[in-house]
Amino acid sequence: MATGKSTIGARIAAGVGVPFLDTDALLAQRSGKSIGELFASDGEARFREREAELVLPMLSDLSPRVIALGGGTVTMPRVRHALLERCTLVTLTAAPETVVARVSSLRKRPNLWALSPLDRARDLLSVRHSAYAESHALVATEGQTPKQIAERVIDVAGLDTLVMPLGTRSYVVELANDEPSRLAAALAELNPSSLLVVTDQNVVAARAQWLDAALEGVGVARHTVVIKAGEVSKTLATVARIWDEALLHGLDRDAVVLAFGGGVVGDLAGFAASTLLRGIRCVQVPTSLLAMVDSSVGGKTGFDHAAGKNLIGSFFQPNRVVVDVEHLSTLPKRERAAGLAEVVKIALVRSVDVLEQLEAAAEAIACGDRAALRSVVRSAIALKINLVRDDERENGSRALLNLGHTVGHALESQGEYTRLLHGEAVAIGTCVELAATERMGLSAPGLAARARLLFERLGLPTKASPDELGSAWPFVLSDKKRSVAGLKLPVVTTAGHGAVVRVTVEHLRRAVLLS
Ligand code: GLY
Protein backbone atom coordinates (compact mmCIF):
# COMPACT_ATOMS: atom_id res chain seq x y z
CA MET A 1 0.00 0.00 0.00
CA ALA A 2 1.67 3.19 -1.22
CA THR A 3 5.04 1.50 -0.97
CA GLY A 4 6.19 2.39 -4.47
CA LYS A 5 5.10 -0.79 -6.21
CA SER A 6 4.30 0.90 -9.52
CA THR A 7 7.72 2.55 -9.66
CA ILE A 8 9.57 -0.53 -8.47
CA GLY A 9 7.50 -2.83 -10.69
CA ALA A 10 8.27 -0.78 -13.79
CA ARG A 11 11.94 -0.71 -12.88
CA ILE A 12 12.12 -4.50 -12.45
CA ALA A 13 10.28 -5.12 -15.72
CA ALA A 14 12.60 -2.80 -17.60
CA GLY A 15 15.65 -4.36 -15.92
CA VAL A 16 14.81 -7.92 -16.87
CA GLY A 17 13.15 -7.04 -20.17
CA VAL A 18 9.57 -8.23 -19.60
CA PRO A 19 6.23 -6.38 -19.89
CA PHE A 20 4.91 -4.37 -16.96
CA LEU A 21 1.24 -4.15 -16.01
CA ASP A 22 -0.30 -1.96 -13.36
CA THR A 23 -3.78 -3.10 -12.38
CA ASP A 24 -4.86 0.32 -11.05
CA ALA A 25 -3.86 1.90 -14.37
CA LEU A 26 -5.67 -0.83 -16.32
CA LEU A 27 -8.86 -0.44 -14.27
CA ALA A 28 -8.82 3.33 -14.77
CA GLN A 29 -8.19 2.92 -18.47
CA ARG A 30 -11.00 0.36 -18.88
CA SER A 31 -13.59 2.35 -16.97
CA GLY A 32 -12.57 5.83 -18.06
CA LYS A 33 -12.58 6.89 -14.39
CA SER A 34 -9.82 7.49 -11.87
CA ILE A 35 -9.38 4.85 -9.15
CA GLY A 36 -10.77 7.32 -6.61
CA GLU A 37 -13.89 7.92 -8.71
CA LEU A 38 -14.38 4.21 -9.30
CA PHE A 39 -14.01 3.37 -5.64
CA ALA A 40 -16.47 6.11 -4.67
CA SER A 41 -19.06 5.20 -7.29
CA ASP A 42 -18.80 1.39 -6.98
CA GLY A 43 -18.21 0.95 -3.25
CA GLU A 44 -15.44 -1.35 -2.00
CA ALA A 45 -17.14 -4.70 -2.68
CA ARG A 46 -17.83 -3.97 -6.34
CA PHE A 47 -14.40 -2.38 -6.76
CA ARG A 48 -12.74 -5.58 -5.46
CA GLU A 49 -14.85 -7.64 -7.84
CA ARG A 50 -13.57 -5.51 -10.70
CA GLU A 51 -10.00 -6.18 -9.52
CA ALA A 52 -10.66 -9.94 -9.33
CA GLU A 53 -12.22 -9.92 -12.81
CA LEU A 54 -9.08 -8.22 -14.10
CA VAL A 55 -6.41 -10.20 -12.24
CA LEU A 56 -7.69 -13.79 -12.31
CA PRO A 57 -7.80 -14.14 -16.12
CA MET A 58 -4.27 -12.68 -16.28
CA LEU A 59 -3.02 -15.71 -14.35
CA SER A 60 -3.86 -18.19 -17.07
CA ASP A 61 -1.00 -16.66 -19.09
CA LEU A 62 2.22 -17.74 -17.40
CA SER A 63 4.59 -15.77 -19.65
CA PRO A 64 7.03 -13.68 -17.60
CA ARG A 65 5.60 -10.30 -16.60
CA VAL A 66 5.69 -7.92 -13.68
CA ILE A 67 2.29 -6.92 -12.30
CA ALA A 68 1.78 -4.14 -9.74
CA LEU A 69 -1.43 -4.85 -7.82
CA GLY A 70 -3.69 -2.45 -5.98
CA GLY A 71 -3.02 -2.46 -2.23
CA GLY A 72 -6.32 -4.19 -1.44
CA THR A 73 -6.30 -6.76 -4.25
CA VAL A 74 -4.68 -9.45 -2.13
CA THR A 75 -7.30 -9.06 0.61
CA MET A 76 -9.54 -11.34 -1.49
CA PRO A 77 -8.50 -14.90 -0.47
CA ARG A 78 -9.33 -16.45 -3.84
CA VAL A 79 -7.23 -13.87 -5.67
CA ARG A 80 -4.39 -14.11 -3.17
CA HIS A 81 -4.33 -17.91 -3.30
CA ALA A 82 -4.35 -17.93 -7.09
CA LEU A 83 -1.47 -15.44 -7.12
CA LEU A 84 0.51 -17.54 -4.66
CA GLU A 85 -0.01 -20.68 -6.71
CA ARG A 86 0.90 -19.20 -10.09
CA CYS A 87 3.24 -16.27 -9.46
CA THR A 88 5.91 -14.99 -7.14
CA LEU A 89 4.00 -12.64 -4.86
CA VAL A 90 6.13 -10.04 -3.09
CA THR A 91 4.77 -7.55 -0.56
CA LEU A 92 6.63 -4.25 -0.33
CA THR A 93 6.28 -2.90 3.19
CA ALA A 94 6.49 0.51 4.86
CA ALA A 95 5.49 1.96 8.23
CA PRO A 96 2.15 3.88 8.39
CA GLU A 97 4.04 7.17 8.83
CA THR A 98 5.95 6.53 5.59
CA VAL A 99 2.79 5.50 3.77
CA VAL A 100 1.07 8.72 4.80
CA ALA A 101 4.08 10.83 3.80
CA ARG A 102 4.08 9.20 0.39
CA VAL A 103 0.31 9.36 -0.01
CA SER A 104 0.11 13.12 0.52
CA SER A 105 1.64 13.44 -2.91
CA LEU A 106 -0.52 10.63 -4.30
CA ARG A 107 -4.02 11.92 -3.65
CA LYS A 108 -5.60 9.24 -5.81
CA ARG A 109 -5.25 6.56 -3.07
CA PRO A 110 -8.96 6.26 -2.26
CA ASN A 111 -8.69 4.50 1.10
CA LEU A 112 -6.64 7.29 2.57
CA TRP A 113 -9.01 10.16 1.99
CA ALA A 114 -10.25 10.08 5.57
CA LEU A 115 -9.51 13.06 7.79
CA SER A 116 -6.86 11.34 9.96
CA PRO A 117 -4.53 9.89 7.39
CA LEU A 118 -2.16 8.32 9.92
CA ASP A 119 -4.90 6.54 11.85
CA ARG A 120 -6.52 5.44 8.61
CA ALA A 121 -3.19 4.08 7.34
CA ARG A 122 -2.63 2.27 10.65
CA ASP A 123 -6.13 0.76 10.48
CA LEU A 124 -5.71 -0.39 6.92
CA LEU A 125 -2.27 -1.91 7.51
CA SER A 126 -3.51 -3.67 10.61
CA VAL A 127 -6.54 -5.10 8.76
CA ARG A 128 -4.35 -6.17 5.86
CA HIS A 129 -1.42 -7.40 7.95
CA SER A 130 -2.45 -11.03 7.80
CA ALA A 131 -3.15 -11.01 4.04
CA TYR A 132 0.12 -9.24 3.28
CA ALA A 133 2.01 -11.86 5.33
CA GLU A 134 0.89 -14.49 2.82
CA SER A 135 3.55 -13.82 0.22
CA HIS A 136 6.79 -15.26 -1.09
CA ALA A 137 8.64 -12.44 0.63
CA LEU A 138 8.05 -9.22 2.54
CA VAL A 139 10.51 -6.62 1.30
CA ALA A 140 11.04 -3.54 3.47
CA THR A 141 11.26 -0.36 1.41
CA GLU A 142 12.37 2.14 4.05
CA GLY A 143 16.04 3.09 3.93
CA GLN A 144 16.43 1.18 0.64
CA THR A 145 17.03 2.66 -2.79
CA PRO A 146 14.68 1.63 -5.62
CA LYS A 147 17.63 -0.27 -7.12
CA GLN A 148 18.16 -2.26 -3.92
CA ILE A 149 14.46 -3.05 -3.62
CA ALA A 150 14.24 -4.13 -7.26
CA GLU A 151 17.31 -6.38 -6.87
CA ARG A 152 15.83 -8.02 -3.80
CA VAL A 153 12.56 -8.73 -5.61
CA ILE A 154 14.43 -10.18 -8.59
CA ASP A 155 16.39 -12.45 -6.21
CA VAL A 156 13.15 -13.69 -4.64
CA ALA A 157 11.65 -14.40 -8.06
CA GLY A 158 14.71 -16.48 -8.95
CA LEU A 159 14.11 -18.91 -6.08
CA ASP A 160 11.94 -22.00 -6.25
CA THR A 161 9.58 -21.38 -3.36
CA LEU A 162 6.06 -22.32 -2.35
CA VAL A 163 4.10 -20.51 0.35
CA MET A 164 2.05 -22.06 3.12
CA PRO A 165 -0.53 -19.28 3.51
CA LEU A 166 -1.59 -19.21 7.15
CA GLY A 167 -1.86 -15.47 7.83
CA THR A 168 0.88 -14.22 10.11
CA ARG A 169 2.05 -17.83 10.58
CA SER A 170 2.70 -18.22 6.86
CA TYR A 171 6.03 -19.68 5.81
CA VAL A 172 8.03 -20.46 2.74
CA VAL A 173 8.94 -23.95 1.56
CA GLU A 174 12.04 -23.59 -0.57
CA LEU A 175 13.33 -26.17 -3.04
CA ALA A 176 17.05 -26.29 -3.70
CA ASN A 177 19.57 -28.50 -5.43
CA ASP A 178 22.78 -28.93 -3.46
CA GLU A 179 22.65 -25.38 -2.12
CA PRO A 180 23.50 -25.23 1.59
CA SER A 181 23.63 -21.45 1.16
CA ARG A 182 19.81 -21.45 0.96
CA LEU A 183 19.58 -22.65 4.57
CA ALA A 184 22.20 -20.09 5.59
CA ALA A 185 20.09 -17.34 3.95
CA ALA A 186 16.91 -18.55 5.67
CA LEU A 187 18.64 -18.52 9.05
CA ALA A 188 20.08 -15.07 8.40
CA GLU A 189 16.52 -13.79 7.87
CA LEU A 190 15.35 -15.39 11.13
CA ASN A 191 18.37 -13.97 12.99
CA PRO A 192 18.34 -16.56 15.83
CA SER A 193 20.08 -16.03 19.18
CA SER A 194 21.30 -19.67 19.03
CA LEU A 195 20.57 -22.91 17.22
CA LEU A 196 19.56 -26.31 18.53
CA VAL A 197 20.12 -28.90 15.80
CA VAL A 198 18.19 -32.16 16.13
CA THR A 199 19.35 -34.94 13.85
CA ASP A 200 20.01 -38.70 13.81
CA GLN A 201 23.07 -40.92 13.50
CA ASN A 202 22.39 -41.95 9.90
CA VAL A 203 21.85 -38.38 8.77
CA VAL A 204 25.06 -37.27 10.49
CA ALA A 205 26.99 -40.03 8.68
CA ALA A 206 25.57 -39.12 5.27
CA ARG A 207 24.83 -35.39 5.33
CA ALA A 208 26.99 -33.69 8.01
CA GLN A 209 29.14 -31.94 5.39
CA TRP A 210 26.10 -30.27 3.82
CA LEU A 211 24.96 -29.01 7.22
CA ASP A 212 28.44 -27.79 8.16
CA ALA A 213 28.62 -25.87 4.87
CA ALA A 214 25.22 -24.31 5.57
CA LEU A 215 26.04 -23.31 9.14
CA GLU A 216 29.64 -22.25 8.54
CA GLY A 217 28.90 -18.55 8.44
CA VAL A 218 25.98 -18.51 10.87
CA GLY A 219 27.70 -16.81 13.75
CA VAL A 220 25.65 -18.06 16.69
CA ALA A 221 26.13 -20.85 19.24
CA ARG A 222 25.09 -24.23 17.91
CA HIS A 223 24.08 -27.20 20.09
CA THR A 224 23.30 -30.59 18.63
CA VAL A 225 21.20 -33.56 19.73
CA VAL A 226 21.93 -36.72 17.74
CA ILE A 227 19.30 -39.40 18.22
CA LYS A 228 19.28 -43.05 17.24
CA ALA A 229 17.77 -43.41 13.76
CA GLY A 230 14.30 -44.88 13.34
CA GLU A 231 10.81 -44.96 14.78
CA VAL A 232 12.13 -46.56 18.01
CA SER A 233 13.38 -43.09 18.97
CA LYS A 234 10.00 -41.44 18.59
CA THR A 235 9.35 -41.38 22.33
CA LEU A 236 8.82 -39.01 25.20
CA ALA A 237 12.33 -39.93 26.43
CA THR A 238 13.85 -38.51 23.24
CA VAL A 239 11.76 -35.35 23.53
CA ALA A 240 13.05 -35.00 27.09
CA ARG A 241 16.64 -35.27 25.80
CA ILE A 242 15.97 -32.36 23.42
CA TRP A 243 14.35 -30.30 26.20
CA ASP A 244 17.31 -31.05 28.52
CA GLU A 245 19.88 -30.00 25.93
CA ALA A 246 18.00 -26.77 25.20
CA LEU A 247 17.57 -25.84 28.86
CA LEU A 248 21.11 -26.83 29.80
CA HIS A 249 22.44 -24.33 27.27
CA GLY A 250 19.98 -21.61 28.28
CA LEU A 251 18.18 -21.31 24.94
CA ASP A 252 16.00 -18.22 24.91
CA ARG A 253 12.86 -17.31 22.98
CA ASP A 254 14.86 -16.06 20.01
CA ALA A 255 16.54 -19.43 19.52
CA VAL A 256 15.69 -21.70 16.60
CA VAL A 257 15.30 -25.47 16.63
CA LEU A 258 16.65 -26.90 13.39
CA ALA A 259 15.24 -30.30 12.44
CA PHE A 260 17.77 -31.98 10.14
CA GLY A 261 16.52 -35.42 9.21
CA GLY A 262 13.53 -37.53 8.26
CA GLY A 263 10.01 -37.72 9.61
CA VAL A 264 10.95 -38.92 13.10
CA VAL A 265 13.50 -36.14 13.63
CA GLY A 266 11.10 -33.53 12.21
CA ASP A 267 8.17 -34.59 14.38
CA LEU A 268 10.28 -34.76 17.56
CA ALA A 269 12.10 -31.48 16.94
CA GLY A 270 8.84 -29.74 16.01
CA PHE A 271 7.17 -30.98 19.18
CA ALA A 272 10.13 -29.92 21.32
CA ALA A 273 10.06 -26.47 19.68
CA SER A 274 6.31 -26.19 20.29
CA THR A 275 6.75 -26.79 24.02
CA LEU A 276 10.12 -25.19 24.86
CA LEU A 277 9.47 -21.85 26.60
CA ARG A 278 5.86 -22.30 25.34
CA GLY A 279 7.03 -22.31 21.75
CA ILE A 280 10.20 -21.23 19.94
CA ARG A 281 10.87 -21.06 16.22
CA CYS A 282 11.58 -24.15 14.17
CA VAL A 283 13.15 -24.68 10.75
CA GLN A 284 12.59 -28.00 9.03
CA VAL A 285 15.32 -29.34 6.74
CA PRO A 286 13.98 -32.71 5.60
CA THR A 287 16.56 -35.22 4.40
CA SER A 288 14.25 -38.14 3.54
CA LEU A 289 11.79 -38.15 0.68
CA LEU A 290 8.93 -38.86 3.07
CA ALA A 291 9.79 -35.83 5.18
CA MET A 292 10.16 -33.64 2.08
CA VAL A 293 6.76 -34.48 0.62
CA ASP A 294 4.76 -34.86 3.79
CA SER A 295 5.90 -34.58 7.38
CA SER A 296 8.06 -31.43 7.25
CA VAL A 297 5.18 -29.37 5.83
CA GLY A 298 1.95 -28.72 7.69
CA GLY A 299 2.92 -28.55 11.35
CA LYS A 300 2.03 -31.97 12.72
CA THR A 301 4.49 -32.80 15.49
CA GLY A 302 4.63 -35.45 18.19
CA PHE A 303 5.74 -38.88 19.27
CA ASP A 304 4.47 -42.42 19.73
CA HIS A 305 2.90 -44.01 22.79
CA ALA A 306 2.72 -47.68 23.73
CA ALA A 307 -0.97 -47.49 22.74
CA GLY A 308 -0.16 -46.42 19.17
CA LYS A 309 1.67 -44.17 16.78
CA ASN A 310 1.65 -40.36 16.98
CA LEU A 311 -0.89 -40.36 19.81
CA ILE A 312 0.68 -37.37 21.55
CA GLY A 313 1.61 -34.16 19.78
CA SER A 314 0.68 -30.69 18.67
CA PHE A 315 -0.05 -28.64 15.58
CA PHE A 316 2.89 -26.25 15.38
CA GLN A 317 3.93 -24.74 12.08
CA PRO A 318 7.62 -24.29 11.26
CA ASN A 319 8.98 -20.89 10.26
CA ARG A 320 10.71 -22.19 7.16
CA VAL A 321 11.20 -25.45 5.29
CA VAL A 322 14.30 -25.93 3.14
CA VAL A 323 14.01 -28.96 0.84
CA ASP A 324 17.34 -29.71 -0.83
CA VAL A 325 16.85 -32.66 -3.16
CA GLU A 326 20.59 -33.38 -3.00
CA HIS A 327 19.90 -35.21 0.27
CA LEU A 328 18.11 -37.87 -1.79
CA SER A 329 21.45 -38.84 -3.39
CA THR A 330 22.52 -40.65 -0.22
CA LEU A 331 19.08 -41.93 0.77
CA PRO A 332 18.85 -45.75 0.60
CA LYS A 333 16.61 -46.98 -2.21
CA ARG A 334 14.20 -48.59 0.24
CA GLU A 335 13.71 -45.27 2.05
CA ARG A 336 13.23 -43.45 -1.25
CA ALA A 337 10.50 -45.88 -2.29
CA ALA A 338 8.86 -45.48 1.13
CA GLY A 339 8.63 -41.72 0.62
CA LEU A 340 6.96 -42.21 -2.74
CA ALA A 341 4.05 -43.95 -1.01
CA GLU A 342 3.00 -40.57 0.43
CA VAL A 343 3.18 -38.97 -3.01
CA VAL A 344 0.93 -41.66 -4.51
CA LYS A 345 -1.44 -41.24 -1.58
CA ILE A 346 -1.88 -37.49 -2.01
CA ALA A 347 -2.23 -37.86 -5.79
CA LEU A 348 -4.98 -40.47 -5.34
CA VAL A 349 -7.07 -38.13 -3.21
CA ARG A 350 -6.25 -34.76 -4.79
CA SER A 351 -4.85 -34.78 -8.31
CA VAL A 352 -5.30 -37.06 -11.26
CA ASP A 353 -2.60 -35.01 -13.03
CA VAL A 354 -0.02 -35.88 -10.40
CA LEU A 355 -1.21 -39.50 -10.43
CA GLU A 356 -0.64 -39.62 -14.18
CA GLN A 357 2.73 -37.86 -13.76
CA LEU A 358 3.76 -40.67 -11.38
CA GLU A 359 2.46 -43.36 -13.73
CA ALA A 360 4.26 -41.83 -16.71
CA ALA A 361 7.62 -41.64 -14.97
CA ALA A 362 7.43 -44.43 -12.36
CA GLU A 363 10.64 -46.20 -13.38
CA ALA A 364 12.69 -42.98 -13.61
CA ILE A 365 11.35 -41.89 -10.24
CA ALA A 366 12.03 -45.30 -8.69
CA CYS A 367 15.64 -45.18 -10.00
CA GLY A 368 16.17 -41.81 -8.32
CA ASP A 369 16.23 -39.61 -11.44
CA ARG A 370 16.85 -36.18 -9.89
CA ALA A 371 14.70 -34.09 -12.20
CA ALA A 372 11.77 -36.51 -12.04
CA LEU A 373 12.03 -36.66 -8.25
CA ARG A 374 12.23 -32.89 -7.86
CA SER A 375 9.14 -32.51 -9.98
CA VAL A 376 7.06 -34.95 -7.92
CA VAL A 377 8.39 -33.50 -4.67
CA ARG A 378 7.22 -30.06 -5.78
CA SER A 379 3.83 -31.34 -6.91
CA ALA A 380 3.22 -33.22 -3.67
CA ILE A 381 4.18 -30.22 -1.52
CA ALA A 382 1.88 -27.95 -3.54
CA LEU A 383 -1.04 -30.34 -3.04
CA LYS A 384 -0.32 -30.65 0.66
CA ILE A 385 -0.12 -26.87 1.08
CA ASN A 386 -3.62 -26.48 -0.31
CA LEU A 387 -5.03 -29.07 2.07
CA VAL A 388 -3.33 -27.56 5.12
CA ARG A 389 -4.27 -24.01 4.05
CA ASP A 390 -7.95 -24.98 3.98
CA ASP A 391 -8.00 -27.24 7.04
CA GLU A 392 -4.96 -26.79 9.24
CA ARG A 393 -6.38 -28.63 12.27
CA GLU A 394 -7.76 -31.59 10.32
CA ASN A 395 -11.42 -30.99 10.90
CA GLY A 396 -12.26 -31.81 7.28
CA SER A 397 -10.33 -32.21 4.06
CA ARG A 398 -6.86 -32.61 5.60
CA ALA A 399 -8.04 -36.01 6.84
CA LEU A 400 -7.75 -37.15 3.20
CA LEU A 401 -4.03 -37.42 3.93
CA ASN A 402 -4.84 -40.31 6.23
CA LEU A 403 -5.63 -42.58 3.28
CA GLY A 404 -3.95 -45.91 4.01
CA HIS A 405 -2.90 -44.77 7.48
CA THR A 406 -5.53 -46.56 9.58
CA VAL A 407 -4.41 -49.99 8.41
CA GLY A 408 -0.85 -48.72 7.80
CA HIS A 409 -0.35 -47.50 11.37
CA ALA A 410 -1.83 -50.73 12.74
CA LEU A 411 0.64 -52.79 10.67
CA GLU A 412 3.53 -50.59 11.80
CA SER A 413 2.53 -50.86 15.45
CA GLN A 414 2.06 -54.63 15.17
CA GLY A 415 5.55 -54.93 13.62
CA GLU A 416 6.89 -52.87 16.55
CA TYR A 417 8.02 -50.19 14.08
CA THR A 418 10.93 -52.31 12.88
CA ARG A 419 9.42 -54.69 10.30
CA LEU A 420 8.00 -52.03 7.95
CA LEU A 421 9.03 -48.48 7.14
CA HIS A 422 6.18 -45.99 7.54
CA GLY A 423 5.82 -45.51 3.76
CA GLU A 424 5.78 -49.27 3.18
CA ALA A 425 2.99 -49.63 5.73
CA VAL A 426 1.13 -46.76 4.01
CA ALA A 427 1.46 -48.47 0.61
CA ILE A 428 0.04 -51.73 1.99
CA GLY A 429 -2.56 -49.81 4.01
CA THR A 430 -3.69 -47.86 0.95
CA CYS A 431 -4.14 -51.03 -1.11
CA VAL A 432 -5.99 -52.80 1.72
CA GLU A 433 -8.22 -49.80 2.50
CA LEU A 434 -9.02 -49.12 -1.16
CA ALA A 435 -9.91 -52.78 -1.77
CA ALA A 436 -12.09 -52.78 1.36
CA THR A 437 -13.85 -49.51 0.52
CA GLU A 438 -14.39 -50.63 -3.07
CA ARG A 439 -16.08 -53.68 -1.59
CA MET A 440 -18.18 -51.40 0.62
CA GLY A 441 -19.18 -49.36 -2.44
CA LEU A 442 -17.35 -46.26 -1.18
CA SER A 443 -14.29 -46.11 -3.47
CA ALA A 444 -14.42 -46.28 -7.25
CA PRO A 445 -13.98 -49.75 -8.76
CA GLY A 446 -10.53 -50.41 -10.20
CA LEU A 447 -8.62 -47.91 -8.10
CA ALA A 448 -7.16 -50.47 -5.70
CA ALA A 449 -5.68 -52.36 -8.68
CA ARG A 450 -4.39 -49.11 -10.25
CA ALA A 451 -2.76 -48.04 -6.98
CA ARG A 452 -1.27 -51.51 -6.42
CA LEU A 453 0.36 -51.53 -9.86
CA LEU A 454 1.86 -48.07 -9.31
CA PHE A 455 3.20 -48.95 -5.86
CA GLU A 456 4.76 -52.11 -7.30
CA ARG A 457 6.44 -50.15 -10.11
CA LEU A 458 7.84 -47.82 -7.47
CA GLY A 459 9.28 -50.78 -5.55
CA LEU A 460 6.81 -50.86 -2.67
CA PRO A 461 5.09 -53.76 -0.91
CA THR A 462 1.32 -53.91 -1.39
CA LYS A 463 0.05 -56.97 0.47
CA ALA A 464 -0.45 -58.20 4.01
CA SER A 465 -1.60 -61.72 4.84
CA PRO A 466 -4.93 -62.29 6.62
CA ASP A 467 -2.92 -63.36 9.68
CA GLU A 468 -0.93 -60.12 9.68
CA LEU A 469 -4.08 -58.05 9.24
CA GLY A 470 -5.86 -60.02 11.98
CA SER A 471 -3.08 -59.53 14.49
CA ALA A 472 -2.67 -55.83 13.56
CA TRP A 473 -6.40 -55.16 14.04
CA PRO A 474 -6.34 -54.39 17.80
CA PHE A 475 -4.20 -51.33 16.98
CA VAL A 476 -7.02 -49.93 14.81
CA LEU A 477 -9.03 -49.69 18.02
CA SER A 478 -6.62 -47.08 19.42
CA ASP A 479 -6.45 -45.12 16.16
CA LYS A 480 -6.80 -41.41 16.92
CA LYS A 481 -9.13 -40.98 13.95
CA ARG A 482 -11.67 -43.20 15.75
CA SER A 483 -14.46 -41.80 17.92
CA VAL A 484 -17.70 -43.13 19.36
CA ALA A 485 -19.35 -42.08 16.11
CA GLY A 486 -17.03 -44.38 14.15
CA LEU A 487 -13.84 -44.13 12.17
CA LYS A 488 -13.16 -41.28 9.72
CA LEU A 489 -11.84 -43.02 6.66
CA PRO A 490 -10.61 -41.47 3.40
CA VAL A 491 -11.98 -43.09 0.26
CA VAL A 492 -11.29 -42.30 -3.40
CA THR A 493 -14.45 -41.54 -5.34
CA THR A 494 -12.68 -41.06 -8.69
CA ALA A 495 -8.96 -40.94 -9.45
CA GLY A 496 -7.62 -37.73 -7.93
CA HIS A 497 -10.71 -37.07 -5.78
CA GLY A 498 -11.02 -38.23 -2.22
CA ALA A 499 -13.77 -37.95 0.37
CA VAL A 500 -13.79 -38.65 4.08
CA VAL A 501 -16.57 -40.98 5.23
CA ARG A 502 -17.48 -42.37 8.63
CA VAL A 503 -17.59 -46.14 8.97
CA THR A 504 -17.87 -48.43 11.94
CA VAL A 505 -14.70 -50.28 12.88
CA GLU A 506 -16.60 -53.57 12.58
CA HIS A 507 -17.85 -52.76 9.07
CA LEU A 508 -14.29 -51.94 8.00
CA ARG A 509 -12.87 -55.04 9.71
CA ARG A 510 -15.22 -57.33 7.82
CA ALA A 511 -14.41 -55.67 4.48
CA VAL A 512 -10.64 -55.71 5.18
CA LEU A 513 -10.52 -59.33 6.22
CA LEU A 514 -12.42 -60.32 3.08
CA SER A 515 -10.10 -58.43 0.72
N1 GLY B 1 0.89 -36.45 7.35
C1 GLY B 1 -0.45 -36.09 7.27
C2 GLY B 1 -0.72 -34.65 7.57
O1 GLY B 1 0.20 -33.88 7.67
O2 GLY B 1 -1.85 -34.28 7.74
Side-chain angles (χ1 to χ4, degrees):
M1 190 175 73
T3 49
K5 54 195 165 353
S6 299
T7 316
I8 300 290
R11 186 179 186 116
I12 297 167
V16 295
V18 301
F20 173 64
L21 303 169
D22 185 319
T23 58
D24 276 356
L26 286 171
L27 280 176
Q29 191 187 329
R30 278 187 183 184
S31 63
K33 295 185 189 173
S34 73
I35 292 297
E37 287 164 353
L38 257 187
F39 203 86
S41 63
D42 281 7
E44 176 154 8
R46 175 66 195 123
F47 181 79
R48 296 278 169 247
E49 272 313 308
R50 278 186 194 268
E51 289 184 306
E53 285 159 14
L54 175 70
V55 172
L56 291 173
M58 281 181 179
L59 303 183
S60 51
D61 171 6
L62 292 182
S63 59
R65 280 162 303 159
V66 178
I67 305 175
L69 301 165
T73 312
V74 296
T75 57
M76 292 174 280
R78 74 184 195 288
V79 176
R80 186 169 73 245
H81 293 159
L83 287 160
L84 286 171
E85 282 169 21
R86 310 222 185 118
C87 313
T88 301
L89 181 61
V90 176
T91 306
L92 302 183
T93 66
E97 292 76 6
T98 312
V99 167
V100 170
R102 287 175 183 166
V103 156
S104 58
S105 61
L106 297 171
R107 299 302 304 172
K108 67 179 181 183
R109 308 309 312 181
N111 272 323
L112 300 179
W113 284 0
L115 275 181
S116 313
L118 185 57
D119 284 344
R120 186 75 181 124
R122 282 190 180 128
D123 280 0
L124 268 179
L125 287 175
S126 141
V127 166
R128 293 178 180 178
H129 184 55
S130 165
Y132 285 168
E134 296 188 354
S135 62
H136 289 81
L138 295 166
V139 174
T141 55
E142 283 150 318
Q144 301 288 304
T145 64
K147 182 167 178 284
Q148 287 171 318
I149 301 166
E151 281 169 0
R152 172 80 184 113
V153 175
I154 292 169
D155 284 349
V156 172
L159 302 173
D160 188 0
T161 52
L162 298 123
V163 178
M164 175 68 81
L166 295 172
T168 52
R169 293 174 303 116
S170 299
Y171 55 95
V172 164
V173 180
E174 179 167 355
L175 280 106
N177 193 359
D178 203 7
E179 294 164 274
S181 60
R182 295 313 314 152
L183 174 59
L187 290 173
E189 266 177 51
L190 293 173
N191 191 22
S193 55
S194 62
L195 277 181
L196 180 67
V197 179
V198 181
T199 187
D200 76 31
Q201 289 161 341
N202 292 351
V203 174
V204 169
R207 308 298 324 154
Q209 265 186 323
W210 186 98
L211 187 64
D212 288 343
L215 300 186
E216 203 172 37
V218 179
V220 295
R222 184 205 324 184
H223 312 287
T224 306
V225 180
V226 182
I227 66 171
K228 195 167 170 235
E231 192 78 24
V232 285
S233 288
K234 206 168 168 185
T235 60
L236 176 60
T238 316
V239 174
R241 260 190 74 199
I242 303 171
W243 286 334
D244 290 348
E245 188 73 14
L247 299 175
L248 177 73
H249 292 289
L251 256 71
D252 63 22
R253 285 199 160 141
D254 294 322
V256 163
V257 174
L258 176 63
F260 187 60
V264 171
V265 162
D267 282 12
L268 290 167
F271 183 77
S274 79
T275 44
L276 275 165
L277 310 178
R278 297 209 170 89
I280 62 175
R281 293 171 299 170
C282 180
V283 172
Q284 292 278 348
V285 183
T287 57
S288 74
L289 182 58
L290 184 137
M292 290 178 187
V293 298
D294 190 34
S295 57
S296 67
V297 176
K300 278 191 182 174
T301 78
F303 55 92
D304 301 335
H305 185 272
K309 196 174 148 76
N310 292 339
L311 288 183
I312 302 172
S314 58
F315 286 97
F316 187 73
Q317 299 295 339
N319 298 79
R320 186 91 176 191
V321 183
V322 179
V323 177
D324 193 321
V325 288
E326 170 64 15
H327 298 310
L328 301 178
S329 64
T330 46
L331 191 69
K333 196 170 174 209
R334 184 176 170 204
E335 298 259 1
R336 187 168 72 225
L340 290 169
E342 299 283 7
V343 185
V344 175
K345 170 205 77 181
I346 198 163
L348 281 165
V349 294
R350 286 298 274 197
S351 171
V352 71
D353 290 346
V354 178
L355 189 61
E356 287 170 1
Q357 181 190 2
L358 289 162
E359 289 172 330
E363 280 68 32
I365 294 167
C367 291
D369 178 281
R370 185 72 63 87
L373 274 174
R374 181 176 176 144
S375 171
V376 294
V377 166
R378 197 176 203 290
S379 301
I381 295 172
L383 293 176
K384 175 142 190 194
I385 282 177
N386 282 358
L387 279 170
V388 175
R389 174 193 77 193
D390 295 341
D391 179 26
E392 184 186 357
R393 306 290 293 224
E394 200 175 294
N395 295 313
S397 56
R398 183 169 181 169
L400 292 171
L401 293 173
N402 295 329
L403 178 68
H405 281 61
T406 297
V407 170
H409 279 173
L411 288 167
E412 262 188 293
S413 302
Q414 181 248 347
E416 293 181 343
Y417 305 114
T418 52
R419 192 168 61 81
L420 291 169
L421 296 176
H422 175 66
E424 293 171 337
V426 167
I428 300 172
T430 300
C431 294
V432 170
E433 288 178 19
L434 280 180
T437 53
E438 272 186 44
R439 197 180 291 274
M440 293 155 85
L442 297 169
S443 284
L447 274 171
R450 185 170 172 183
R452 174 165 289 131
L453 179 63
L454 181 55
F455 283 131
E456 282 168 2
R457 289 174 66 201
L458 295 170
L460 283 156
T462 57
K463 293 191 176 105
S465 69
D467 276 358
E468 281 166 335
L469 287 171
S471 55
W473 201 258
F475 290 96
V476 170
L477 302 177
S478 62
D479 193 297
K480 64 183 176 314
K481 299 174 283 302
R482 195 178 64 90
S483 71
V484 278
L487 187 67
K488 280 194 201 162
L489 193 69
V491 298
V492 183
T493 49
T494 55
H497 295 278
V500 180
V501 299
R502 218 180 262 282
V503 298
T504 66
V505 176
E506 182 51 23
H507 197 185
L508 180 67
R509 188 184 73 84
R510 273 190 259 125
V512 162
L513 295 179
L514 278 176
S515 41

